[in-house]
Amino acid sequence: MDESAWTPIKYVSSVWDAEEERWGSDAELAEVPFTTFSPTPLIAPEYWRPAPTQSVEDFASPGRDDRGVTGVPPAAVEFGVKKNNDIVEGPDGLVYMARLPLASAPLNYLATLIRGYLKKIGSRWRALPAGKISGIVLAVLRCDQRPGDLAGGNGVHRTTVSRWVREVVGLLAARALRLDRSLKKIARKGGGVVLLDGSLIRTGIANRKNYSGKHKCHGLLVIALTDDRGRLVWVSAVRPGRTSEITACRHDKLTAKLRAAGLGAIADFGFVGLDDSGPDADPAVITGYKAARNRPLTRSQRLSNKALAAVRAPVEHGFAHLKNWRVLGKVRTDPKWATALVRALLVLTNREVAR
């Protein structure tokens, strides 16, 4: 080590030298930079040595015990690592990179959508390019990242990230098909049935109208339709959790639109009673047979329910793809905005699954 790297220092109290087994107050300190491969940041080590002109007799004084007079045992003195007492959070916080578990198709589609929107409104400048904005928005939707954390890592303000998210959600929700157009599209492709189901999205707004007696928790009800392969084609508006699935379907006039498109729907027992057509009319919603206390199911009825359950399995896969977006784990925003959020995720889910 170069002699010019050493800096003379003087301690207020004595310091124990383990190599020479003696105490000293005057010493020299040298700090040498180095390179290491470590997941955590390391501080350059400091090397300590006693002053070359010192001797043990220089520190002799009355009342000193065998260990010295500092009152600090040698084991409590640390050498080699500099302590870092800076705060973790704040403007100089740590920034890390993470992998986004998502295909490139939604990212490219969203970046193209943002570029077209900026060109349409005549926006000539944004804090970040469209590709980076789409990555930030997808991180919020897919991983439920806090906008403040993403803002700090990209050099923008938290409100800017929140505005980007709401802007992109509005653009995507406008591209979700309405119920009648979705049914006509399936009929043009030669489809005969759709799969119907409902799901509850947990919410942080705990009030009486959002409480679901079926699921025993607070949430928002969503009705969805998929094709026979489980591809989502339509989602309803978000309604309070206390709303029953049949009431939500009747509000959207689902059975009338199914008959107008010449399609039928297969649903679970939660939709029993939805189709109130006469006994001679073709049913628009098929739910299977439900047992009663004094009327058990026959063998043929049980086999029919088993077959319907096998046909209904893809609709569960469709909801599973939709709930891969972790922002739906617990909606903490206004329920009015939740409708646009679910429809935006419907568009992104179809882009991801159909890659």
Side-chain angles (χ1 to χ4, degrees):
M1 187 181 300
D2 190 5
E3 290 295 330
S4 61
W6 294 98
T7 302
I9 59 174
K10 183 177 181 62
Y11 290 97
V12 178
S13 303
S14 300
V15 178
W16 177 259
D17 184 3
E19 295 183 358
E20 299 186 7
E21 298 183 353
R22 64 185 181 89
W23 293 88
S25 61
D26 294 333
E28 292 181 346
L29 190 69
E31 183 174 348
V32 179
F34 72 101
T35 303
T36 181
F37 298 92
S38 172
T40 58
L42 297 178
I43 306 301
E46 294 179 351
Y47 296 93
W48 175 90
R49 74 180 184 183
T53 58
Q54 289 180 325
S55 62
V56 178
E57 289 77 13
D58 295 337
F59 309 104
S61 61
R64 182 188 299 266
D65 58 10
D66 296 336
R67 297 181 302 170
V69 296
T70 61
V72 181
V77 182
E78 298 179 0
F79 299 96
V81 178
K82 181 180 179 181
K83 291 184 179 180
N84 186 6
N85 297 325
D86 296 337
I87 58 175
V88 176
E89 297 183 356
D92 298 328
L94 298 178
V95 178
Y96 70 95
M97 298 181 65
R99 177 180 176 271
L100 189 63
L102 194 65
S104 59
L107 178 66
N108 297 333
Y109 171 74
L110 197 55
T112 305
L113 187 64
I114 293 174
R115 293 189 190 99
Y117 173 73
L118 297 180
K119 184 177 180 181
K120 179 180 178 181
I121 65 176
S123 178
R124 296 179 296 174
W125 180 86
R126 284 292 171 100
L128 294 176
K132 265 203 167 183
I133 293 176
S134 60
I136 293 173
V137 173
L138 289 176
V140 174
L141 299 178
R142 187 68 167 190
C143 301
D144 198 16
Q145 290 278 358
R146 293 189 303 175
D149 295 341
L150 293 172
N154 292 276
V156 294
H157 198 268
R158 178 186 59 83
T159 56
T160 302
V161 176
S162 300
R163 186 178 69 252
W164 287 344
V165 173
R166 289 185 175 269
E167 187 178 73
V168 170
V169 165
L171 292 174
L172 292 172
R175 281 157 176 76
L177 293 179
R178 296 184 304 182
L179 177 58
D180 51 353
R181 293 183 180 180
S182 302
L183 297 177
K184 290 179 181 179
K185 182 178 180 180
I186 294 177
R188 285 196 304 266
K189 292 183 178 180
V193 296
V194 292
L195 306 179
L196 174 65
D197 200 2
S199 181
L200 191 77
I201 300 175
R202 300 290 183 93
T203 179
I205 303 175
N207 52 23
R208 188 169 183 178
K209 69 177 184 178
N210 287 337
Y211 183 77
S212 172
K214 177 181 177 181
H215 298 87
K216 308 299 181 185
C217 63
H218 294 85
L220 302 171
L221 178 65
V222 175
I223 305 296
L225 288 177
T226 68
D227 57 10
D228 54 356
R229 296 179 299 172
R231 180 184 173 90
L232 289 166
V233 295
W234 173 79
V235 291
S236 69
V238 173
R239 292 184 172 86
R242 69 180 181 182
T243 308
S244 66
E245 296 171 337
I246 294 179
T247 302
C249 292
R250 287 175 178 170
H251 186 274
D252 293 325
K253 301 179 181 179
L254 181 61
T255 55
K257 293 180 179 179
L258 284 173
R259 288 194 176 91
L263 298 176
I266 298 177
D268 57 7
F269 294 141
F271 296 87
V272 173
L274 174 61
D275 189 4
D276 53 359
S277 60
D280 298 333
D282 294 332
V285 180
I286 303 173
T287 58
Y289 299 95
K290 195 171 184 180
R293 179 176 300 177
N294 56 354
R295 190 180 67 251
L297 297 179
T298 63
R299 183 174 181 275
S300 60
Q301 290 175 339
R302 290 196 300 269
L303 291 176
S304 177
N305 288 345
K306 186 176 180 180
L308 288 176
V311 175
R312 279 193 61 259
V315 72
E316 304 295 343
H317 300 163
F319 267 113
H321 287 304
L322 183 64
K323 290 190 174 182
N324 278 337
W325 302 93
R326 298 177 189 172
V327 71
L328 293 180
K330 197 170 189 179
V331 178
R332 304 176 182 87
T333 58
D334 187 3
K336 295 181 180 179
W337 186 72
T339 299
L341 175 63
V342 174
R343 289 176 176 172
L345 296 180
L346 166 68
V347 177
L348 290 177
T349 300
N350 289 336
R351 286 283 172 175
E352 181 186 13
V353 175
R355 64 183 185 273

